[in-house]
Amino acid sequence: MEVTGLTPDRGVPFRDIWTSAEQRATRARLRADMRRRQGLGARQKSALDGLVHALRRESMDRSFPERILLSYDLGSRFRSPAAIVAVGEIDTATHVSWQVSGMGISVHTAMWGSVKEAAQLWAAQKSAGAEHPCVISWLGYQPPGPWGVLSSRSALRGGARLALHLNSWFDHYERLRAEDRSGRTPPRPHTAVEAHSYGTVVAARALQILHRSSPSRSIDALVVSGAVGLPRDLAGDPAALGMSEERIYTALADTDYLSRLALWFSGRRQWTRATELKTTADEERNLAAAVGHNTSRYRPDARLFRRGRGYRDPGTASLYRIARATIGLPP
């Protein structure tokens, strides 16, 4: 499968983002962009500031591992910023999860929050028993606005980009195994995609493209929360994603009305052949219910109508079960 970069439709030369040499070059480029910050546009400044803040160790819980900047593009007047950040060590990971977000979640608006959600999933996976998890916060496409959620255009482009990066990850790991003459490189890590909102449509398209590629490839688990529907040509056909229905999981809160409205008005189909993850409160485990459509909404001082937790908030039944599903455990 030909890989052409973070923005393949624009022909940006592909960089092998998985090598340590390229990661050092990316950090050097980030430092150079920080020095020229004053000459950047407002959106580029916001993207740069969000990246730098997300990478600072002190910006999040100290128990979270180092964040690794794999790739970024500050964008331009006509191109939205994009970035890929890993939480945890990649080459020694036993479990690799790709986290894909939806409407309105961009590098210049929500970089720190997105990386924090990846770190929270990492922590939940560790608690569930994953030895060396790695969660990749993938903001590699231009998410749509409210009305754009009803269209599939952004999902087709985003899905192509995500498929390219998933494919490059598989290539990288196969190279690691081929170059390791000691035979100590472990089998390929358990690989999952965890997607929310419009990101679920992006993920579905990516897995379809990955399955159709040569060689055909697939992941081990797909978890979708707050889904806004499945494209009609994929509805009821897990095999089109290269998966069996036992490895697909869906989470939908009782009060997630936005997902239901988007499903209705877009004309897409429901995710039917999948295992449902309960998002209601679990008193036995002292876990709260997910409320509404957002991934993160918990604020200790929130007023009455802003109370509650999102799908990816710590202490929720949804995050507990998403973490287990993404590492191959019964949810």
Side-chain angles (χ1 to χ4, degrees), residues 44 142 176 250 258:
Q44 291 176 314
Q142 183 170 342
L176 284 180
T250 63
L258 282 178

Side-chain angles (χ1 to χ4, degrees), residues 266-319:
S266 68
R268 300 187 193 102
R269 296 293 183 257
Q270 289 184 334
W271 291 75
T272 53
R273 297 182 62 184
T275 299
E276 181 181 349
L277 301 180
K278 292 183 179 180
T279 63
T280 52
D282 186 334
E283 294 183 2
E284 182 179 345
R285 296 185 174 91
N286 194 29
L287 298 171
V291 176
H293 181 67
N294 291 348
T295 52
S296 298
R297 58 176 289 151
Y298 177 68
R299 300 289 185 276
D301 57 349
R303 295 182 179 180
L304 178 61
F305 293 105
R306 298 290 297 175
R307 291 177 185 170
R309 300 174 190 250
Y311 288 106
R312 294 173 180 167
D313 270 328
T316 57
S318 51
L319 180 61

Side-chain angles (χ1 to χ4, degrees), residues 37 65 69-70 90 99 109 130 161 171 173 183 243 272:
R37 181 183 181 280
L69 179 60
L70 298 175
I90 301 166
Q99 201 167 61
T109 61
R161 297 177 188 180
D171 286 343
Y173 202 80
M243 306 186 71
T272 53

Side-chain angles (χ1 to χ4, degrees), residues 89 92-95 122 125-134 186 327 329:
E89 180 57 45
T92 59
T94 55
H95 301 79
W122 176 92
Q125 290 175 337
K126 284 283 287 184
S127 295
E131 187 176 1
H132 299 296
C134 174
I327 62 174
L329 294 177

Side-chain angles (χ1 to χ4, degrees), residues 17-30:
I17 63 177
W18 309 106
T19 67
S20 57
E22 180 57 34
Q23 290 163 21
R24 287 194 298 270
T26 299
R27 290 194 297 270
R29 184 161 57 91
L30 182 69

Side-chain angles (χ1 to χ4, degrees), residues 36-111:
R36 68 182 187 98
R37 181 183 181 280
Q38 294 306 314
L40 300 175
R43 185 166 68 170
Q44 291 176 314
K45 285 181 182 178
S46 294
L48 181 61
D49 292 347
L51 274 169
V52 171
H53 188 50
L55 295 173
R56 286 196 179 111
R57 188 66 182 268
E58 63 272 16
S59 72
M60 297 182 195
D61 193 309
R62 289 279 185 169
S63 66
F64 295 154
E66 179 185 5
R67 276 77 75 187
I68 301 169
L69 179 60
L70 298 175
S71 182
Y72 77 96
D73 175 7
L74 294 181
S76 65
R77 182 179 178 184
F78 303 104
R79 189 177 71 253
S80 180
I84 308 172
V85 176
V87 178
E89 180 57 45
I90 301 166
D91 289 348
T92 59
T94 55
H95 301 79
V96 175
S97 302
W98 296 67
Q99 201 167 61
V100 185
S101 295
M103 179 186 74
I105 306 301
S106 303
V107 177
H108 59 289
T109 61
M111 188 72 242

Side-chain angles (χ1 to χ4, degrees), residues 226-244:
V228 293
L230 188 62
R232 293 187 179 194
D233 60 305
L234 300 178
D237 187 11
L241 307 181
M243 306 186 71
S244 62

